[in-house]
Amino acid sequence: MKLLPAVLCLALLLLVLNPNGVEARPAPTGGHQKKPSSAIFFVFGDDFADNGNLPLTDPVTEMSRQWAYPYGSDYVDADGHPRPNTPSGRFSNYQIQSDFIAIMLGLEEAPPAHARTAEKTCDPSGMTFASAGAGVLGSTSQDVPTLSKQVDTFRKMVKDGTISEQQLSHSVALVAISGNDYASASVIGLGSPNDINAYIGKVTKEIATNVEQLLKLGVTKVLVNNLHPVGCTPSQTRTNNYTACNIFGNLGASIHNDNLKQVMTTKKNVHIIDLYTAFTNIVDHAPGKGSELSKQFKRKLSPCCESLDSKGYCGQHGESPSELLFTVCEKSNKFFYWDDMHPTHAGWDVVMKQLEKPLREFVNQA
């Protein structure tokens, strides 16, 4: 992997992810029914896949805002009936990446969150272990389990029989790691290209190690996210009034993705989900250009839910509960991003439509 100038490398790593970018949401009771052809789905990772493992707190904080307005503002119940303003632990106005993959697998939505499931039980659809803020070398909070801890919890459930061999024989796993490791305090002290490249190598190697562990435990197919163009997230585009992506953030994501591809090349039954390309096709192109899918969004780089303070967050309140320190757009389906880091339901829908064909072909291959 090519080494970059030290200043450039440091800049891109500091920009790769904002520590504020962690999120989640759980699913409603009884909403995980399986169709006859569906797989068992196990979900690991961070904010792009967490559907309720982070708890609600009182008062609501940045790490629990996914349980409060305006999160879940476009929620639709299992019967297809709109239930507006129903926060469910996902960092979006409705569904997130893991839900869309679950639907492709024949499920109603992503399987239930581990933290909200009775002990010694596993839903027939599978289980979600992903936790917002998680990384592979560390997390944004001590209470958030790293990827290896999530996999270890899964391993214990396999060993004690809570997750059966029959479930494993029809299983698909998602490993959604979105860059929280590059937001950790330990990265800020890295100044040399060698140190930074070594750090990226440690992150991708650890992802590969956990993927290998899942395969050894009996998971039949593993989906692994590459890093999206983080320089295009509103947290990075706010400084230029949401007009252009940050080139250094996207360069950092590209380096990570090149490394990830190298460490995954020899692994069988593993498919890299190319979020970088799918996001880029929508948010990072010349004005007036881009795919037909991208043209449905009038706002590609700005958030639907915007904090009034650049250091604040969507859902933040002032001293009074009625004092809202954020604004919310009227038409979320015209915005690609929901908040400063995460896509809207409409955004995820368009991303996953691009990725559906190769994903289905991988899952269905013998």
Side-chain angles (χ1 to χ4, degrees), residues 34 38-44 49 51 96-107 109-112 122-129 154 163 167-168 170-176 219 221-223 273 352 359 363:
K34 291 169 58 61
S38 57
I40 313 296
F41 192 29
F42 297 107
V43 182
F44 305 86
N51 65 352
I96 55 175
Q97 184 196 14
S98 51
D99 294 303
F100 285 96
I101 294 177
I103 291 168
M104 291 180 196
L105 295 175
L107 306 175
E109 60 186 348
C122 179
D123 192 83
S125 66
M127 185 166 285
T128 296
F129 299 90
F154 173 77
I163 296 172
Q167 286 178 303
L168 288 172
H170 297 89
S171 61
V172 174
L174 169 66
V175 175
V219 175
K221 301 285 177 70
V222 182
L223 308 169
I273 299 178
M352 297 313 297
L359 193 155
V363 170

mmCIF file of all heavy atoms in Angstrom, residues 34 38-44 49 51 96-107 109-112 122-129 154 163 167-168 170-176 219 221-223 273 352 359 363:
data_model
loop_
_atom_site.group_PDB
_atom_site.id
_atom_site.type_symbol
_atom_site.label_atom_id
_atom_site.label_comp_id
_atom_site.label_asym_id
_atom_site.label_seq_id
_atom_site.Cartn_x
_atom_site.Cartn_y
_atom_site.Cartn_z
ATOM 1 N N LYS A 34 -40.580 -15.249 9.264
ATOM 2 C CA LYS A 34 -39.777 -15.782 8.173
ATOM 3 C C LYS A 34 -40.660 -16.340 7.065
ATOM 4 O O LYS A 34 -41.721 -16.868 7.306
ATOM 5 C CB LYS A 34 -38.869 -16.896 8.684
ATOM 6 C CG LYS A 34 -37.760 -16.413 9.593
ATOM 7 C CD LYS A 34 -37.079 -17.579 10.278
ATOM 8 C CE LYS A 34 -36.512 -18.578 9.300
ATOM 9 N NZ LYS A 34 -35.482 -18.023 8.415
ATOM 10 N N SER A 38 -36.385 -18.134 3.507
ATOM 11 C CA SER A 38 -35.483 -17.164 4.119
ATOM 12 C C SER A 38 -34.346 -17.815 4.893
ATOM 13 O O SER A 38 -34.436 -18.937 5.372
ATOM 14 C CB SER A 38 -36.260 -16.216 5.029
ATOM 15 O OG SER A 38 -36.951 -16.941 6.014
ATOM 16 N N ALA A 39 -33.259 -17.057 5.016
ATOM 17 C CA ALA A 39 -32.090 -17.513 5.765
ATOM 18 C C ALA A 39 -32.191 -17.058 7.215
ATOM 19 O O ALA A 39 -33.053 -16.256 7.578
ATOM 20 C CB ALA A 39 -30.822 -16.940 5.125
ATOM 21 N N ILE A 40 -31.308 -17.595 8.039
ATOM 22 C CA ILE A 40 -31.154 -17.106 9.411
ATOM 23 C C ILE A 40 -30.101 -16.014 9.356
ATOM 24 O O ILE A 40 -29.021 -16.206 8.786
ATOM 25 C CB ILE A 40 -30.692 -18.229 10.370
ATOM 26 C CG1 ILE A 40 -31.536 -19.497 10.160
ATOM 27 C CG2 ILE A 40 -30.757 -17.754 11.811
ATOM 28 C CD1 ILE A 40 -32.982 -19.345 10.477
ATOM 29 N N PHE A 41 -30.378 -14.870 9.937
ATOM 30 C CA PHE A 41 -29.537 -13.681 9.772
ATOM 31 C C PHE A 41 -28.929 -13.270 11.107
ATOM 32 O O PHE A 41 -29.643 -13.094 12.091
ATOM 33 C CB PHE A 41 -30.400 -12.551 9.204
ATOM 34 C CG PHE A 41 -29.654 -11.352 8.703
ATOM 35 C CD1 PHE A 41 -28.359 -11.442 8.199
ATOM 36 C CD2 PHE A 41 -30.270 -10.106 8.701
ATOM 37 C CE1 PHE A 41 -27.698 -10.331 7.714
ATOM 38 C CE2 PHE A 41 -29.631 -8.985 8.205
ATOM 39 C CZ PHE A 41 -28.331 -9.091 7.711
ATOM 40 N N PHE A 42 -27.599 -13.143 11.132
ATOM 41 C CA PHE A 42 -26.893 -12.672 12.319
ATOM 42 C C PHE A 42 -26.142 -11.392 11.956
ATOM 43 O O PHE A 42 -25.446 -11.344 10.933
ATOM 44 C CB PHE A 42 -25.929 -13.736 12.839
ATOM 45 C CG PHE A 42 -26.629 -14.984 13.297
ATOM 46 C CD1 PHE A 42 -26.571 -16.151 12.541
ATOM 47 C CD2 PHE A 42 -27.368 -14.993 14.467
ATOM 48 C CE1 PHE A 42 -27.224 -17.304 12.943
ATOM 49 C CE2 PHE A 42 -28.039 -16.152 14.887
ATOM 50 C CZ PHE A 42 -27.960 -17.304 14.126
ATOM 51 N N VAL A 43 -26.303 -10.373 12.781
ATOM 52 C CA VAL A 43 -25.810 -9.041 12.439
ATOM 53 C C VAL A 43 -24.801 -8.555 13.476
ATOM 54 O O VAL A 43 -25.074 -8.581 14.682
ATOM 55 C CB VAL A 43 -26.990 -8.047 12.350
ATOM 56 C CG1 VAL A 43 -26.500 -6.665 11.937
ATOM 57 C CG2 VAL A 43 -28.052 -8.555 11.376
ATOM 58 N N PHE A 44 -23.649 -8.105 12.983
ATOM 59 C CA PHE A 44 -22.569 -7.615 13.837
ATOM 60 C C PHE A 44 -22.116 -6.248 13.329
ATOM 61 O O PHE A 44 -22.278 -5.929 12.152
ATOM 62 C CB PHE A 44 -21.384 -8.583 13.804
ATOM 63 C CG PHE A 44 -21.735 -9.997 14.168
ATOM 64 C CD1 PHE A 44 -22.218 -10.889 13.201
ATOM 65 C CD2 PHE A 44 -21.606 -10.451 15.476
ATOM 66 C CE1 PHE A 44 -22.553 -12.195 13.538
ATOM 67 C CE2 PHE A 44 -21.943 -11.753 15.820
ATOM 68 C CZ PHE A 44 -22.418 -12.626 14.848
ATOM 69 N N ALA A 49 -26.026 -0.964 11.552
ATOM 70 C CA ALA A 49 -26.727 -2.244 11.718
ATOM 71 C C ALA A 49 -27.407 -2.416 13.074
ATOM 72 O O ALA A 49 -28.206 -3.320 13.244
ATOM 73 C CB ALA A 49 -25.743 -3.400 11.499
ATOM 74 N N ASN A 51 -30.013 -2.172 15.823
ATOM 75 C CA ASN A 51 -31.451 -1.895 15.850
ATOM 76 C C ASN A 51 -32.018 -1.937 17.263
ATOM 77 O O ASN A 51 -33.153 -2.314 17.476
ATOM 78 C CB ASN A 51 -32.211 -2.856 14.934
ATOM 79 C CG ASN A 51 -32.127 -4.298 15.398
ATOM 80 O OD1 ASN A 51 -31.378 -4.617 16.317
ATOM 81 N ND2 ASN A 51 -32.893 -5.181 14.769
ATOM 82 N N ILE A 96 -32.832 0.775 8.375
ATOM 83 C CA ILE A 96 -31.395 0.925 8.160
ATOM 84 C C ILE A 96 -30.875 -0.230 7.306
ATOM 85 O O ILE A 96 -31.651 -1.090 6.869
ATOM 86 C CB ILE A 96 -30.643 0.993 9.512
ATOM 87 C CG1 ILE A 96 -30.979 -0.235 10.370
ATOM 88 C CG2 ILE A 96 -30.982 2.277 10.245
ATOM 89 C CD1 ILE A 96 -30.191 -0.314 11.671
ATOM 90 N N GLN A 97 -29.583 -0.256 7.072
ATOM 91 C CA GLN A 97 -29.008 -1.237 6.147
ATOM 92 C C GLN A 97 -29.391 -2.673 6.474
ATOM 93 O O GLN A 97 -29.771 -3.454 5.595
ATOM 94 C CB GLN A 97 -27.487 -1.129 6.121
ATOM 95 C CG GLN A 97 -26.842 -2.069 5.099
ATOM 96 C CD GLN A 97 -25.357 -2.264 5.296
ATOM 97 O OE1 GLN A 97 -24.795 -1.923 6.334
ATOM 98 N NE2 GLN A 97 -24.682 -2.812 4.294
ATOM 99 N N SER A 98 -29.295 -3.054 7.745
ATOM 100 C CA SER A 98 -29.564 -4.447 8.115
ATOM 101 C C SER A 98 -31.005 -4.854 7.817
ATOM 102 O O SER A 98 -31.280 -6.012 7.509
ATOM 103 C CB SER A 98 -29.238 -4.684 9.590
ATOM 104 O OG SER A 98 -29.865 -3.723 10.415
ATOM 105 N N ASP A 99 -31.931 -3.902 7.886
ATOM 106 C CA ASP A 99 -33.325 -4.200 7.544
ATOM 107 C C ASP A 99 -33.465 -4.532 6.062
ATOM 108 O O ASP A 99 -34.169 -5.469 5.690
ATOM 109 C CB ASP A 99 -34.227 -3.008 7.877
ATOM 110 C CG ASP A 99 -34.313 -2.736 9.362
ATOM 111 O OD1 ASP A 99 -34.700 -3.649 10.106
ATOM 112 O OD2 ASP A 99 -33.986 -1.614 9.785
ATOM 113 N N PHE A 100 -32.805 -3.737 5.217
ATOM 114 C CA PHE A 100 -32.914 -3.963 3.782
ATOM 115 C C PHE A 100 -32.298 -5.301 3.375
ATOM 116 O O PHE A 100 -32.822 -6.004 2.510
ATOM 117 C CB PHE A 100 -32.274 -2.808 3.015
ATOM 118 C CG PHE A 100 -33.122 -1.566 3.008
ATOM 119 C CD1 PHE A 100 -32.915 -0.559 3.930
ATOM 120 C CD2 PHE A 100 -34.152 -1.413 2.084
ATOM 121 C CE1 PHE A 100 -33.707 0.586 3.940
ATOM 122 C CE2 PHE A 100 -34.946 -0.281 2.082
ATOM 123 C CZ PHE A 100 -34.726 0.725 3.012
ATOM 124 N N ILE A 101 -31.188 -5.668 4.008
ATOM 125 C CA ILE A 101 -30.593 -6.972 3.712
ATOM 126 C C ILE A 101 -31.506 -8.084 4.208
ATOM 127 O O ILE A 101 -31.699 -9.100 3.531
ATOM 128 C CB ILE A 101 -29.193 -7.087 4.341
ATOM 129 C CG1 ILE A 101 -28.243 -6.088 3.676
ATOM 130 C CG2 ILE A 101 -28.649 -8.511 4.201
ATOM 131 C CD1 ILE A 101 -26.852 -6.064 4.276
ATOM 132 N N ALA A 102 -32.085 -7.906 5.387
ATOM 133 C CA ALA A 102 -33.005 -8.910 5.931
ATOM 134 C C ALA A 102 -34.163 -9.156 4.971
ATOM 135 O O ALA A 102 -34.562 -10.306 4.732
ATOM 136 C CB ALA A 102 -33.524 -8.449 7.293
ATOM 137 N N ILE A 103 -34.702 -8.095 4.400
ATOM 138 C CA ILE A 103 -35.809 -8.232 3.454
ATOM 139 C C ILE A 103 -35.361 -9.010 2.223
ATOM 140 O O ILE A 103 -36.088 -9.867 1.707
ATOM 141 C CB ILE A 103 -36.351 -6.838 3.080
ATOM 142 C CG1 ILE A 103 -37.051 -6.213 4.295
ATOM 143 C CG2 ILE A 103 -37.335 -6.933 1.909
ATOM 144 C CD1 ILE A 103 -37.365 -4.740 4.146
ATOM 145 N N MET A 104 -34.141 -8.742 1.757
ATOM 146 C CA MET A 104 -33.605 -9.503 0.617
ATOM 147 C C MET A 104 -33.495 -10.989 0.951
ATOM 148 O O MET A 104 -33.628 -11.850 0.082
ATOM 149 C CB MET A 104 -32.215 -8.977 0.242
ATOM 150 C CG MET A 104 -32.198 -7.601 -0.365
ATOM 151 S SD MET A 104 -30.493 -7.117 -0.767
ATOM 152 C CE MET A 104 -30.687 -5.351 -0.984
ATOM 153 N N LEU A 105 -33.268 -11.299 2.227
ATOM 154 C CA LEU A 105 -33.115 -12.688 2.657
ATOM 155 C C LEU A 105 -34.450 -13.361 2.939
ATOM 156 O O LEU A 105 -34.491 -14.539 3.294
ATOM 157 C CB LEU A 105 -32.242 -12.748 3.914
ATOM 158 C CG LEU A 105 -30.784 -12.300 3.760
ATOM 159 C CD1 LEU A 105 -30.075 -12.298 5.111
ATOM 160 C CD2 LEU A 105 -30.046 -13.196 2.774
ATOM 161 N N GLY A 106 -35.546 -12.616 2.789
ATOM 162 C CA GLY A 106 -36.863 -13.202 3.004
ATOM 163 C C GLY A 106 -37.464 -12.930 4.360
ATOM 164 O O GLY A 106 -38.491 -13.513 4.716
ATOM 165 N N LEU A 107 -36.843 -12.042 5.144
ATOM 166 C CA LEU A 107 -37.361 -11.687 6.462
ATOM 167 C C LEU A 107 -38.179 -10.407 6.368
ATOM 168 O O LEU A 107 -38.123 -9.686 5.378
ATOM 169 C CB LEU A 107 -36.215 -11.501 7.453
ATOM 170 C CG LEU A 107 -35.232 -12.671 7.574
ATOM 171 C CD1 LEU A 107 -34.074 -12.299 8.497
ATOM 172 C CD2 LEU A 107 -35.939 -13.918 8.083
ATOM 173 N N GLU A 109 -37.804 -7.866 8.555
ATOM 174 C CA GLU A 109 -36.872 -6.808 8.928
ATOM 175 C C GLU A 109 -35.701 -7.453 9.656
ATOM 176 O O GLU A 109 -35.654 -8.681 9.799
ATOM 177 C CB GLU A 109 -37.553 -5.773 9.818
ATOM 178 C CG GLU A 109 -38.082 -6.352 11.098
ATOM 179 C CD GLU A 109 -38.877 -5.343 11.907
ATOM 180 O OE1 GLU A 109 -38.848 -4.137 11.609
ATOM 181 O OE2 GLU A 109 -39.548 -5.785 12.853
ATOM 182 N N ALA A 110 -34.740 -6.659 10.086
ATOM 183 C CA ALA A 110 -33.584 -7.217 10.781
ATOM 184 C C ALA A 110 -34.022 -7.958 12.049
ATOM 185 O O ALA A 110 -34.998 -7.577 12.687
ATOM 186 C CB ALA A 110 -32.610 -6.103 11.138
ATOM 187 N N PRO A 111 -33.305 -9.023 12.414
ATOM 188 C CA PRO A 111 -33.674 -9.779 13.611
ATOM 189 C C PRO A 111 -33.520 -8.945 14.876
ATOM 190 O O PRO A 111 -32.822 -7.927 14.883
ATOM 191 C CB PRO A 111 -32.706 -10.968 13.592
ATOM 192 C CG PRO A 111 -31.565 -10.531 12.739
ATOM 193 C CD PRO A 111 -32.135 -9.599 11.729
ATOM 194 N N PRO A 112 -34.151 -9.362 15.969
ATOM 195 C CA PRO A 112 -34.162 -8.567 17.198
ATOM 196 C C PRO A 112 -32.771 -8.315 17.765
ATOM 197 O O PRO A 112 -31.841 -9.094 17.564
ATOM 198 C CB PRO A 112 -34.992 -9.415 18.162
ATOM 199 C CG PRO A 112 -35.750 -10.354 17.320
ATOM 200 C CD PRO A 112 -34.915 -10.609 16.107
ATOM 201 N N CYS A 122 -33.158 -17.367 21.014
ATOM 202 C CA CYS A 122 -32.752 -16.743 19.762
ATOM 203 C C CYS A 122 -33.969 -16.731 18.848
ATOM 204 O O CYS A 122 -34.620 -17.767 18.667
ATOM 205 C CB CYS A 122 -31.596 -17.502 19.111
ATOM 206 S SG CYS A 122 -31.047 -16.799 17.527
ATOM 207 N N ASP A 123 -34.299 -15.583 18.312
ATOM 208 C CA ASP A 123 -35.444 -15.469 17.413
ATOM 209 C C ASP A 123 -35.256 -16.401 16.212
ATOM 210 O O ASP A 123 -34.124 -16.617 15.756
ATOM 211 C CB ASP A 123 -35.562 -14.018 16.933
ATOM 212 C CG ASP A 123 -36.874 -13.751 16.235
ATOM 213 O OD1 ASP A 123 -37.869 -13.486 16.935
ATOM 214 O OD2 ASP A 123 -36.910 -13.821 14.986
ATOM 215 N N PRO A 124 -36.326 -16.968 15.670
ATOM 216 C CA PRO A 124 -36.203 -17.834 14.481
ATOM 217 C C PRO A 124 -35.531 -17.147 13.295
ATOM 218 O O PRO A 124 -34.977 -17.813 12.423
ATOM 219 C CB PRO A 124 -37.663 -18.183 14.159
ATOM 220 C CG PRO A 124 -38.372 -18.077 15.467
ATOM 221 C CD PRO A 124 -37.713 -16.949 16.190
ATOM 222 N N SER A 125 -35.570 -15.805 13.279
ATOM 223 C CA SER A 125 -34.961 -15.074 12.168
ATOM 224 C C SER A 125 -33.477 -14.823 12.379
ATOM 225 O O SER A 125 -32.762 -14.468 11.439
ATOM 226 C CB SER A 125 -35.674 -13.733 11.971
ATOM 227 O OG SER A 125 -35.464 -12.880 13.097
ATOM 228 N N GLY A 126 -32.995 -15.002 13.617
ATOM 229 C CA GLY A 126 -31.592 -14.730 13.925
ATOM 230 C C GLY A 126 -31.457 -13.737 15.054
ATOM 231 O O GLY A 126 -32.332 -13.643 15.919
ATOM 232 N N MET A 127 -30.390 -12.950 15.046
ATOM 233 C CA MET A 127 -30.167 -11.997 16.133
ATOM 234 C C MET A 127 -29.220 -10.890 15.682
ATOM 235 O O MET A 127 -28.326 -11.109 14.863
ATOM 236 C CB MET A 127 -29.583 -12.716 17.355
ATOM 237 C CG MET A 127 -29.427 -11.830 18.580
ATOM 238 S SD MET A 127 -29.127 -12.799 20.080
ATOM 239 C CE MET A 127 -30.780 -13.440 20.386
ATOM 240 N N THR A 128 -29.427 -9.701 16.243
ATOM 241 C CA THR A 128 -28.554 -8.559 15.971
ATOM 242 C C THR A 128 -27.671 -8.292 17.191
ATOM 243 O O THR A 128 -28.176 -8.038 18.288
ATOM 244 C CB THR A 128 -29.371 -7.303 15.641
ATOM 245 O OG1 THR A 128 -30.103 -7.518 14.434
ATOM 246 C CG2 THR A 128 -28.464 -6.092 15.470
ATOM 247 N N PHE A 129 -26.365 -8.378 16.987
ATOM 248 C CA PHE A 129 -25.387 -8.098 18.038
ATOM 249 C C PHE A 129 -24.739 -6.725 17.856
ATOM 250 O O PHE A 129 -24.052 -6.232 18.752
ATOM 251 C CB PHE A 129 -24.288 -9.169 18.029
ATOM 252 C CG PHE A 129 -24.789 -10.564 18.296
ATOM 253 C CD1 PHE A 129 -25.194 -11.385 17.247
ATOM 254 C CD2 PHE A 129 -24.876 -11.057 19.590
ATOM 255 C CE1 PHE A 129 -25.657 -12.676 17.481
ATOM 256 C CE2 PHE A 129 -25.338 -12.346 19.846
ATOM 257 C CZ PHE A 129 -25.738 -13.153 18.781
ATOM 258 N N PHE A 154 -21.779 -14.300 20.456
ATOM 259 C CA PHE A 154 -22.354 -15.247 19.482
ATOM 260 C C PHE A 154 -21.766 -16.639 19.689
ATOM 261 O O PHE A 154 -22.501 -17.638 19.709
ATOM 262 C CB PHE A 154 -22.058 -14.729 18.071
ATOM 263 C CG PHE A 154 -22.438 -15.677 16.965
ATOM 264 C CD1 PHE A 154 -23.756 -15.830 16.572
ATOM 265 C CD2 PHE A 154 -21.460 -16.404 16.293
ATOM 266 C CE1 PHE A 154 -24.099 -16.694 15.529
ATOM 267 C CE2 PHE A 154 -21.790 -17.264 15.252
ATOM 268 C CZ PHE A 154 -23.118 -17.407 14.879
ATOM 269 N N ILE A 163 -28.108 -21.067 19.936
ATOM 270 C CA ILE A 163 -28.134 -21.013 18.481
ATOM 271 C C ILE A 163 -27.798 -22.419 17.987
ATOM 272 O O ILE A 163 -26.717 -22.937 18.266
ATOM 273 C CB ILE A 163 -27.134 -19.983 17.936
ATOM 274 C CG1 ILE A 163 -27.534 -18.568 18.386
ATOM 275 C CG2 ILE A 163 -27.042 -20.055 16.411
ATOM 276 C CD1 ILE A 163 -26.512 -17.500 18.058
ATOM 277 N N GLN A 167 -29.824 -23.840 12.609
ATOM 278 C CA GLN A 167 -29.858 -22.414 12.282
ATOM 279 C C GLN A 167 -28.579 -21.998 11.566
ATOM 280 O O GLN A 167 -28.607 -21.256 10.578
ATOM 281 C CB GLN A 167 -30.049 -21.583 13.552
ATOM 282 C CG GLN A 167 -31.462 -21.639 14.116
ATOM 283 C CD GLN A 167 -31.572 -20.842 15.401
ATOM 284 O OE1 GLN A 167 -30.850 -21.081 16.359
ATOM 285 N NE2 GLN A 167 -32.503 -19.889 15.419
ATOM 286 N N LEU A 168 -27.450 -22.477 12.049
ATOM 287 C CA LEU A 168 -26.168 -22.121 11.444
ATOM 288 C C LEU A 168 -26.075 -22.617 10.001
ATOM 289 O O LEU A 168 -25.464 -21.958 9.150
ATOM 290 C CB LEU A 168 -25.018 -22.704 12.267
ATOM 291 C CG LEU A 168 -24.758 -22.049 13.622
ATOM 292 C CD1 LEU A 168 -23.722 -22.850 14.405
ATOM 293 C CD2 LEU A 168 -24.299 -20.608 13.456
ATOM 294 N N HIS A 170 -28.159 -22.596 7.748
ATOM 295 C CA HIS A 170 -28.861 -21.716 6.803
ATOM 296 C C HIS A 170 -28.562 -20.248 7.114
ATOM 297 O O HIS A 170 -29.377 -19.370 6.863
ATOM 298 C CB HIS A 170 -30.376 -21.940 6.882
ATOM 299 C CG HIS A 170 -30.800 -23.314 6.495
ATOM 300 N ND1 HIS A 170 -30.878 -24.351 7.406
ATOM 301 C CD2 HIS A 170 -31.153 -23.835 5.285
ATOM 302 C CE1 HIS A 170 -31.275 -25.448 6.774
ATOM 303 N NE2 HIS A 170 -31.451 -25.170 5.490
ATOM 304 N N SER A 171 -27.374 -19.984 7.631
ATOM 305 C CA SER A 171 -27.103 -18.656 8.185
ATOM 306 C C SER A 171 -26.320 -17.739 7.249
ATOM 307 O O SER A 171 -25.478 -18.182 6.469
ATOM 308 C CB SER A 171 -26.348 -18.787 9.509
ATOM 309 O OG SER A 171 -25.104 -19.448 9.314
ATOM 310 N N VAL A 172 -26.635 -16.468 7.362
ATOM 311 C CA VAL A 172 -25.890 -15.390 6.703
ATOM 312 C C VAL A 172 -25.564 -14.363 7.780
ATOM 313 O O VAL A 172 -26.426 -14.021 8.602
ATOM 314 C CB VAL A 172 -26.720 -14.729 5.585
ATOM 315 C CG1 VAL A 172 -25.980 -13.517 5.008
ATOM 316 C CG2 VAL A 172 -27.045 -15.730 4.489
ATOM 317 N N ALA A 173 -24.334 -13.877 7.782
ATOM 318 C CA ALA A 173 -23.936 -12.855 8.756
ATOM 319 C C ALA A 173 -23.562 -11.576 8.027
ATOM 320 O O ALA A 173 -23.015 -11.603 6.928
ATOM 321 C CB ALA A 173 -22.759 -13.337 9.605
ATOM 322 N N LEU A 174 -23.862 -10.451 8.656
ATOM 323 C CA LEU A 174 -23.415 -9.141 8.191
ATOM 324 C C LEU A 174 -22.422 -8.581 9.190
ATOM 325 O O LEU A 174 -22.681 -8.582 10.402
ATOM 326 C CB LEU A 174 -24.603 -8.180 8.059
ATOM 327 C CG LEU A 174 -24.246 -6.706 7.831
ATOM 328 C CD1 LEU A 174 -23.579 -6.506 6.473
ATOM 329 C CD2 LEU A 174 -25.481 -5.812 7.964
ATOM 330 N N VAL A 175 -21.276 -8.125 8.693
ATOM 331 C CA VAL A 175 -20.299 -7.414 9.524
ATOM 332 C C VAL A 175 -20.238 -5.982 9.013
ATOM 333 O O VAL A 175 -19.685 -5.705 7.951
ATOM 334 C CB VAL A 175 -18.912 -8.080 9.462
ATOM 335 C CG1 VAL A 175 -17.887 -7.258 10.239
ATOM 336 C CG2 VAL A 175 -18.983 -9.501 10.013
ATOM 337 N N ALA A 176 -20.860 -5.086 9.751
ATOM 338 C CA ALA A 176 -20.968 -3.685 9.344
ATOM 339 C C ALA A 176 -20.057 -2.831 10.234
ATOM 340 O O ALA A 176 -20.417 -2.502 11.362
ATOM 341 C CB ALA A 176 -22.418 -3.220 9.458
ATOM 342 N N VAL A 219 -21.155 -20.297 10.435
ATOM 343 C CA VAL A 219 -21.904 -19.395 9.551
ATOM 344 C C VAL A 219 -21.543 -19.734 8.107
ATOM 345 O O VAL A 219 -20.367 -19.900 7.777
ATOM 346 C CB VAL A 219 -21.574 -17.915 9.862
ATOM 347 C CG1 VAL A 219 -22.262 -17.000 8.855
ATOM 348 C CG2 VAL A 219 -22.010 -17.560 11.283
ATOM 349 N N LYS A 221 -22.365 -18.005 5.106
ATOM 350 C CA LYS A 221 -22.021 -16.880 4.235
ATOM 351 C C LYS A 221 -21.836 -15.627 5.087
ATOM 352 O O LYS A 221 -22.636 -15.372 6.008
ATOM 353 C CB LYS A 221 -23.135 -16.609 3.210
ATOM 354 C CG LYS A 221 -23.453 -17.795 2.285
ATOM 355 C CD LYS A 221 -22.386 -17.977 1.224
ATOM 356 C CE LYS A 221 -22.654 -19.191 0.338
ATOM 357 N NZ LYS A 221 -23.811 -19.013 -0.554
ATOM 358 N N VAL A 222 -20.804 -14.836 4.766
ATOM 359 C CA VAL A 222 -20.548 -13.609 5.522
ATOM 360 C C VAL A 222 -20.476 -12.418 4.571
ATOM 361 O O VAL A 222 -19.719 -12.434 3.592
ATOM 362 C CB VAL A 222 -19.249 -13.690 6.337
ATOM 363 C CG1 VAL A 222 -19.048 -12.408 7.154
ATOM 364 C CG2 VAL A 222 -19.273 -14.896 7.281
ATOM 365 N N LEU A 223 -21.263 -11.400 4.877
ATOM 366 C CA LEU A 223 -21.251 -10.132 4.141
ATOM 367 C C LEU A 223 -20.446 -9.124 4.952
ATOM 368 O O LEU A 223 -20.653 -8.995 6.167
ATOM 369 C CB LEU A 223 -22.673 -9.607 3.953
ATOM 370 C CG LEU A 223 -23.691 -10.582 3.350
ATOM 371 C CD1 LEU A 223 -25.110 -10.026 3.480
ATOM 372 C CD2 LEU A 223 -23.363 -10.853 1.891
ATOM 373 N N ILE A 273 -19.521 -5.942 0.609
ATOM 374 C CA ILE A 273 -20.592 -5.056 0.161
ATOM 375 C C ILE A 273 -19.965 -3.699 -0.150
ATOM 376 O O ILE A 273 -19.436 -3.032 0.747
ATOM 377 C CB ILE A 273 -21.681 -4.908 1.237
ATOM 378 C CG1 ILE A 273 -22.314 -6.273 1.544
ATOM 379 C CG2 ILE A 273 -22.748 -3.923 0.795
ATOM 380 C CD1 ILE A 273 -23.371 -6.219 2.630
ATOM 381 N N MET A 352 -29.085 0.160 -1.322
ATOM 382 C CA MET A 352 -29.212 -1.291 -1.340
ATOM 383 C C MET A 352 -29.808 -1.807 -2.654
ATOM 384 O O MET A 352 -29.544 -2.945 -3.040
ATOM 385 C CB MET A 352 -30.036 -1.769 -0.144
ATOM 386 C CG MET A 352 -29.391 -1.461 1.219
ATOM 387 S SD MET A 352 -27.623 -1.884 1.327
ATOM 388 C CE MET A 352 -27.679 -3.667 1.087
ATOM 389 N N LEU A 359 -25.464 -9.182 -4.215
ATOM 390 C CA LEU A 359 -25.697 -9.752 -2.889
ATOM 391 C C LEU A 359 -26.539 -11.021 -3.007
ATOM 392 O O LEU A 359 -26.218 -12.056 -2.398
ATOM 393 C CB LEU A 359 -26.371 -8.709 -1.998
ATOM 394 C CG LEU A 359 -26.424 -8.988 -0.504
ATOM 395 C CD1 LEU A 359 -26.541 -7.662 0.263
ATOM 396 C CD2 LEU A 359 -27.603 -9.876 -0.127
ATOM 397 N N VAL A 363 -25.423 -14.944 -2.007
ATOM 398 C CA VAL A 363 -26.171 -15.714 -1.012
ATOM 399 C C VAL A 363 -26.741 -17.003 -1.609
ATOM 400 O O VAL A 363 -26.773 -18.046 -0.962
ATOM 401 C CB VAL A 363 -27.308 -14.853 -0.394
ATOM 402 C CG1 VAL A 363 -28.233 -15.721 0.462
ATOM 403 C CG2 VAL A 363 -26.720 -13.727 0.452
#
